[in-house]
Amino acid sequence: MLTRVCIITNKYPNDIDKNVLVFVQQLVWAMADLGVSCSVICPIPINLNYRYAMFPKKIIEQTENGSTVEVFFPKYIGFGQSDIFGYNPSHLTTYNFTNAVSRIVKNMNEKPDAVYGHFITPAGITAARIGRKFNIPSFMAYGEATIKTIEHFGFKQVNNELSNLDGVVAVSNQNKEMLVSTNAVKEEKIKVFSNGYRKERFFPRDKNEARKMYGFPKDEFIVCFVGSFDYRKGIERLMEAIKDIDGVYAICAGKGELMPSSNKCIYNKSVNNADLPFFYSAADVFVLPTLNEGCCNAIIEAMACGLPIISSNMPFNDDILDDTCSIRVDPLSITAIKNAISILHSDRGKLNELSKGSVEKARSLTLEIRAKNIINFINEVVVKHNDLTKEY
């Protein structure tokens, strides 16, 4: 049986970056709340931020339900994964990252039953290497929006590195197809479990109170956007779509180069994860005309808070959106985005119908359900691995 799991990640919420990869932390907490002993190893590249040198080597977190999680922050020299003068340093970064993780695993009093790396590089490849080195069943979570990381590391190299993985969790069927089509891992090793939300945190709040909390107008129609302010997520397309719709305003949580600044945008900065349920609840509809996703956490969180969804009609949304909770549009069509918003602005019956549909749809997308599915998947493989080991 699975009792101890080690989660490997290149980013994790901390005192410097409080909102980075919060969804990884929430999955870890959900696993811990289900009785699995969880250790997180998050190597810190001290050469990329001098403040990282002050990180503690280890901290103990406590979940909202009182479970504990140990988090290790070993130091290493990182070079990122973006091209530098035509050279991509992802191999060197992953090598140093793996060594940092290996030091922690080697010194653990009890070795984990499984290691679980988030994303292909550097954590997924590191999980596979740790599995080989310590004879521990290894798994990887794949939620990338594109195959960019596979291209950077090299298709053949990724296939070789991941060949010993015991299992892969993809966040959507499109993600599964990306792995299969690039020959990164064998199809039979992949299970699809959509992302989820922590039900203790994300649920509808009183709209008037939420608006009062942020100082938003009480009676205007508000569309909500949560994501990076960039071309892919579609912040400019959203702002262009609402500019001529009377009585419609946008609240936008995020950061990036394309910060919205028109008088139609009444909020345009980051929101702490703990405050997001109130931010969602202050809006009438969630709009994200995104071009690529793995499986969008913001969409799922917005649904859990009772918001109808307007988002892309592309395959990455197929696993979480249908016509009971959303209007799906061509994310590049400003006219389509505008028409969808106008429909919900003018038809409160439709708005309320999709709002109820979102809450109902979200019931099947809780993080507890996802964590149980992942734990059961890992446990099945661990049992087989241990049985084979006994035979030898």
Side-chain angles (χ1 to χ4, degrees):
M1 292 292 292
L2 179 68
T3 59
R4 297 178 60 83
V5 64
C6 175
I7 296 89
I8 302 169
T9 179
N10 69 322
K11 294 179 182 178
Y12 196 77
N14 56 73
D15 289 340
I16 295 176
D17 301 310
K18 296 182 184 296
N19 295 319
V20 65
L21 295 196
V22 172
F23 65 90
V24 174
Q25 181 188 56
Q26 294 302 294
L27 175 60
V28 172
W29 285 14
M31 287 181 169
D33 287 340
L34 289 170
V36 176
S37 177
C38 296
S39 299
V40 177
I41 304 179
C42 178
I44 299 296
I46 56 175
N47 59 310
L48 299 184
N49 188 328
Y50 73 92
R51 293 183 295 174
Y52 290 164
M54 297 180 287
F55 264 44
K57 294 181 179 179
K58 176 183 174 181
I59 65 172
I60 302 296
E61 293 185 321
Q62 189 170 62
T63 75
E64 292 159 325
N65 294 323
S67 304
T68 58
V69 174
E70 59 179 1
V71 184
F72 296 91
F73 292 110
K75 312 301 190 295
Y76 81 110
I77 303 299
F79 301 94
Q81 300 182 74
S82 299
D83 287 353
I84 301 175
F85 302 115
Y87 170 75
N88 189 278
S90 58
H91 286 261
L92 183 55
T93 294
T94 302
Y95 175 82
N96 290 349
F97 184 96
T98 300
N99 286 340
V101 173
S102 183
R103 292 196 303 269
I104 300 298
V105 175
K106 181 180 179 180
N107 291 318
M108 285 182 168
N109 293 326
E110 292 184 69
K111 295 296 185 290
D113 299 313
V115 290
Y116 184 85
H118 263 276
F119 306 127
I120 286 183
T121 59
I125 288 174
T126 293
R129 291 175 177 175
I130 294 297
R132 289 194 295 270
K133 182 175 181 178
F134 295 97
N135 191 29
I136 300 171
S138 57
F139 298 80
M140 180 184 76
Y142 185 70
E144 283 90 332
T146 70
I147 63 170
K148 187 176 181 179
T149 55
I150 301 177
E151 290 178 326
H152 280 175
F153 206 87
F155 293 101
K156 289 184 178 180
Q157 291 92 330
V158 167
N159 174 262
N160 288 335
E161 290 279 4
L162 301 182
S163 61
N164 70 290
L165 279 178
D166 294 276
V168 176
V169 173
V171 299
S172 69
N173 279 292
Q174 176 174 278
N175 266 156
K176 177 180 178 179
E177 178 56 32
M178 289 163 65
L179 289 172
V180 173
S181 65
T182 57
N183 199 35
V185 292
K186 294 181 179 179
E187 182 174 5
E188 58 266 26
K189 292 185 178 183
I190 307 171
K191 293 286 188 179
V192 177
F193 303 121
S194 299
N195 284 337
Y197 69 97
R198 199 165 175 84
K199 63 183 180 181
E200 299 90 346
R201 181 172 296 185
F202 292 96
F203 56 87
R205 293 343 198 254
D206 181 84
K207 189 180 300 294
N208 290 331
E209 289 299 317
R211 291 192 176 191
K212 183 178 179 181
M213 174 179 170
Y214 284 95
F216 298 153
K218 180 180 179 181
D219 299 319
E220 302 292 358
F221 189 89
I222 296 178
V223 301
C224 175
F225 175 100
V226 174
S228 54
F229 299 151
D230 58 27
Y231 178 79
R232 176 173 71 91
K233 291 285 188 178
I235 184 64
E236 288 185 314
R237 297 187 291 278
L238 168 60
M239 297 312 302
E240 182 68 19
I242 69 170
K243 73 175 185 179
D244 294 325
I245 310 177
D246 291 338
V248 174
Y249 295 87
I251 54 174
C252 305
K255 57 184 179 180
E257 295 181 356
L258 303 180
M259 180 178 290
S261 58
S262 78
N263 58 6
K264 281 283 191 170
C265 182
I266 57 178
Y267 189 97
N268 64 353
K269 53 188 177 182
S270 297
V271 175
N272 288 329
N273 189 264
D275 295 328
L276 273 174
F278 301 95
F279 190 79
Y280 289 125
S281 296
D284 294 289
V285 61
F286 182 82
V287 183
L288 191 73
T290 177
L291 302 179
N292 291 298
E293 297 289 335
C295 177
C296 184
N297 286 283
I299 288 177
I300 295 172
E301 292 166 356
M303 290 166 61
C305 293
L307 292 188
I309 308 298
I310 296 173
S311 190
S312 172
N313 58 7
M314 298 176 75
F316 54 77
N317 273 333
D318 288 350
D319 298 285
I320 58 174
L321 293 180
D322 56 39
D323 58 9
T324 68
C325 59
S326 66
I327 298 177
R328 296 175 64 181
V329 299
D330 177 353
L332 289 172
S333 172
I334 293 171
T335 299
I337 300 166
K338 178 180 179 180
N339 288 343
I341 295 171
S342 296
I343 288 172
L344 297 185
H345 179 219
S346 61
D347 187 345
R348 290 300 171 126
K350 181 69 171 177
L351 182 77
N352 292 334
E353 175 189 331
L354 294 184
S355 176
K356 292 177 182 178
S358 283
V359 173
E360 185 60 32
K361 181 72 173 179
R363 296 185 197 280
S364 64
L365 295 169
T366 67
L367 203 48
E368 181 182 14
I369 292 174
R370 182 170 197 258
K372 284 181 179 179
N373 287 334
I374 293 173
I375 289 171
N376 288 338
F377 174 44
I378 294 176
N379 189 61
E380 290 174 6
V381 175
V382 168
V383 170
K384 291 179 182 178
H385 180 275
N386 291 341
D387 287 344
L388 288 173
T389 301
K390 289 178 183 178
E391 291 181 9
Y392 292 98

